Amino acid sequence: MFVDKAEIFVKSGKGGDGRVSFRREKYVPDGGPDGGDGGKGGSIYALVDSSMRTLMDFRYKRKYAAEPGGNGGKKNCFGKDAEDLIIKVPPGTIIKEKETGRIIADLTEAGDKKLIAKGGRGGKGNTHFKNATRQAPTFAQQGRHGQEMTIILELKMLADVGLVGYPNVGKSTLLSVLTKASPKIANYHFTTLKPNLGVVEVVKGKSFVLADIPGLIEGASEGIGLGHDFLRHVERTKLLVHVVDVSGCEGRHPIEDFDRINEELSSYDERLSSKVQVIAANKTDIIYDEEVYDEFIKEMESRGYKVFPISAATQQGVVELMQYVTTELENIEDVVLVEVDEHAVYEVEVDKNNEVNYEVEGDVYTVSGVPIERLVYSTDFNDVESLRRFQNILMKMGVFEELREMGIEDGDTVKIFDFEFDYYE
């Protein structure tokens, strides 16, 4: 079964907590703090595995979580860093964040590797919080939580040549003749439900990958049927072989079919209609209307297209078509891949945001933001000294002054993440 789209949940590991510890040795009963730092949580990476061809594995496992970092130890011993989690994907996989639609990674070559979710940083041990007035800090910093999100994996086949055209024009038959691929072939008036790939070598030593793109229908660019799922496979091909039924035996007009398919390509992405197209005028062995056939050949050649009359069923003209395609591929530059934002992994973006956000609803004042989140991580709310430090930092950040300007009064509630406090001057 060919699976070209999957949705999974990923969660990187939480950083280990810093340790609260004091040096205790013989003859040194009141040694200073020696709590070690927590280890880094495991990050999640996507890695291209050339042996994979579909996203089938992700239908059975949809949650991926990296291990947390180890907690800090005594005598300034660091916690162990967690191992990173590697998710293997096939070549041609695009990874998007579901919530925003942002592209996180565009992986094409074997060995390509991309960070998907960054592991949480380990918390600092109490030795870091010693200063001139605080000789024995009784608190440490908690490790940061890892990132979690739902991502979409989309597989865009990396084929050199795509076969496009209406359903039932002979694309699958042509693919089966040229390659060892074995698509299901019958007189269907609806489209193949999955793309098929094959390797073509009609010129010795020069091969290319050919994809039978499932037959398009009118409205495909608007998502009718499985249009969007199919059209995105065309994007990375270097050349299109447009297969047209010129027999006239079904009462269809080949020029109209050709134009409608190109309209769908253009509507989806204008770049698709500008790709090099070679026309395979198929079913010439059973031509019903010679005038329609002659009109089609004349019209296409007047537009500057190279037309090859063929019969996929009898293999007439097929070799000549593929020889021309092989030569033409050498003159076409590789397809420009999707441009990926280097800062797509949102940890990078979040770190740049140092704003503190304020909201008020009734007598509840909510304070949030990255700096506040970091402060919460480093605070032990069960320790009086740690709470005093928490309040002092809020004061230096101007949080209390801002709340007063917003009109906070004694007895009102201040909410910081999951913690609530009563405000008093």
Side-chain angles (χ1 to χ4, degrees):
M1 183 176 183
F2 187 93
V3 179
D4 62 351
K5 193 171 185 179
E7 179 179 311
I8 63 174
F9 175 80
V10 296
K11 182 177 182 180
S12 57
K14 175 184 177 296
D17 295 337
R19 178 69 177 263
V20 176
S21 176
F22 297 91
R23 183 182 173 195
R24 292 291 184 265
E25 298 178 16
K26 191 175 182 180
Y27 308 120
V28 189
D30 297 316
D34 68 351
D37 298 348
K40 181 181 74 69
S43 297
I44 297 180
Y45 289 85
L47 174 68
V48 175
D49 182 350
S50 59
S51 66
M52 296 179 67
R53 290 291 179 267
T54 76
L55 300 173
M56 174 67 76
D57 292 351
F58 300 103
R59 298 195 69 181
Y60 305 105
K61 183 177 180 181
R62 301 195 176 209
K63 292 184 179 181
Y64 294 81
E67 294 294 322
N71 294 332
K74 299 179 180 180
K75 299 182 179 180
N76 293 311
C77 290
F78 283 20
K80 183 180 179 181
D81 289 344
E83 291 188 9
D84 294 329
L85 177 63
I86 306 297
I87 298 177
K88 294 183 178 180
V89 297
T93 300
I94 286 183
I95 303 176
K96 299 179 180 179
E97 185 183 357
K98 181 181 179 181
E99 184 177 351
T100 64
R102 279 185 307 157
I103 294 174
I104 297 174
D106 182 11
L107 305 168
T108 59
E109 301 292 337
D112 282 357
K113 187 177 180 181
K114 180 69 176 180
L115 175 66
I116 303 302
K118 190 175 182 180
R121 187 182 303 169
K124 295 179 179 180
N126 67 334
T127 186
H128 290 277
F129 301 101
K130 178 182 177 181
N131 56 34
T133 59
R134 188 192 302 123
Q135 295 293 315
T138 56
F139 61 91
Q141 188 180 47
Q142 297 178 5
R144 292 193 194 177
H145 289 288
Q147 296 176 321
E148 58 180 71
M149 58 179 159
T150 299
I151 59 176
I152 304 294
L153 307 176
E154 291 184 356
L155 178 59
K156 293 192 177 183
M157 301 181 306
L158 299 179
D160 299 300
V161 179
L163 297 176
V164 297
Y166 262 89
N168 198 36
V169 295
K171 299 192 309 299
S172 295
T173 303
L174 180 59
L175 180 72
S176 67
V177 167
L178 292 167
T179 74
K180 294 181 180 179
S182 301
K184 293 182 179 179
I185 301 170
N187 190 31
Y188 298 131
H189 287 271
F190 50 86
T191 182
T192 308
L193 293 182
K194 64 177 183 179
N196 292 295
L197 287 174
V199 177
V200 177
E201 185 178 9
V202 294
V203 178
K204 190 173 182 179
K206 296 182 180 180
S207 62
F208 59 87
V209 178
L210 179 67
D212 165 20
I213 308 299
L216 300 176
I217 59 176
E218 290 182 70
S221 61
E222 300 173 2
I224 294 177
L226 300 176
H228 283 172
D229 290 336
F230 293 160
L231 281 165
R232 59 192 175 84
H233 289 297
V234 185
E235 291 183 57
R236 297 191 178 196
T237 56
K238 296 169 67 175
L239 180 150
L240 299 178
V241 173
H242 198 141
V243 184
V244 182
D245 180 356
V246 295
S247 67
C249 61
E250 292 189 8
R252 304 186 62 85
H253 199 290
I255 295 177
E256 292 179 1
D257 286 357
F258 179 85
D259 289 339
R260 284 172 182 167
I261 291 297
N262 276 291
E263 286 173 8
E264 293 302 325
L265 294 174
S266 180
S267 296
Y268 179 75
D269 188 331
E270 289 186 2
R271 292 175 297 180
L272 299 187
S273 61
S274 63
K275 285 182 179 289
V276 176
Q277 288 192 36
V278 178
I279 298 175
N282 193 28
K283 301 186 181 181
T284 54
D285 56 319
I286 53 171
I287 290 178
Y288 178 77
D289 190 331
E290 290 285 351
E291 288 187 8
V292 170
Y293 169 72
D294 291 339
E295 180 187 0
F296 175 77
I297 298 296
K298 184 178 180 180
E299 174 64 21
M300 293 300 105
E301 289 181 344
S302 70
R303 296 185 188 182
Y305 290 105
K306 185 72 174 179
V307 183
F308 286 84
I310 69 165
S311 169
T314 65
Q315 302 184 31
Q316 177 187 350
V318 170
V319 172
E320 291 79 3
L321 167 64
M322 289 299 116
Q323 286 176 336
Y324 178 81
V325 168
T326 302
T327 303
E328 195 67 16
L329 282 174
E330 296 178 353
N331 302 321
I332 302 175
E333 295 182 1
D334 290 337
V335 178
V336 177
L337 302 176
V338 178
E339 294 182 2
V340 180
D341 181 4
E342 291 298 327
H343 303 297
V345 177
Y346 57 73
E347 173 70 13
V348 179
E349 296 179 351
V350 168
D351 279 349
K352 291 182 178 180
N353 182 5
N354 291 314
E355 294 182 0
V356 178
N357 305 311
Y358 302 88
E359 294 181 8
V360 59
E361 185 174 344
D363 60 355
V364 178
Y365 292 76
T366 302
V367 183
S368 61
V370 174
I372 300 298
E373 182 179 8
R374 290 174 178 169
L375 178 58
V376 169
Y377 280 143
S378 65
T379 302
D380 181 356
F381 291 96
N382 296 315
D383 182 83
V384 175
E385 189 177 356
S386 182
L387 274 173
R388 187 178 298 116
R389 171 179 173 271
F390 178 75
Q391 291 177 325
N392 289 337
I393 293 177
L394 288 179
M395 187 178 298
K396 291 178 181 178
M397 292 172 65
V399 172
F400 295 136
E401 182 179 351
E402 181 69 25
L403 291 174
R404 283 192 291 269
E405 291 182 4
M406 293 175 66
I408 194 169
E409 298 178 355
D410 286 352
D412 288 347
T413 301
V414 178
K415 184 176 181 181
I416 299 178
F417 292 95
D418 295 331
F419 300 96
E420 293 186 357
F421 309 92
D422 292 331
Y423 177 86
Y424 289 99
E425 285 286 353

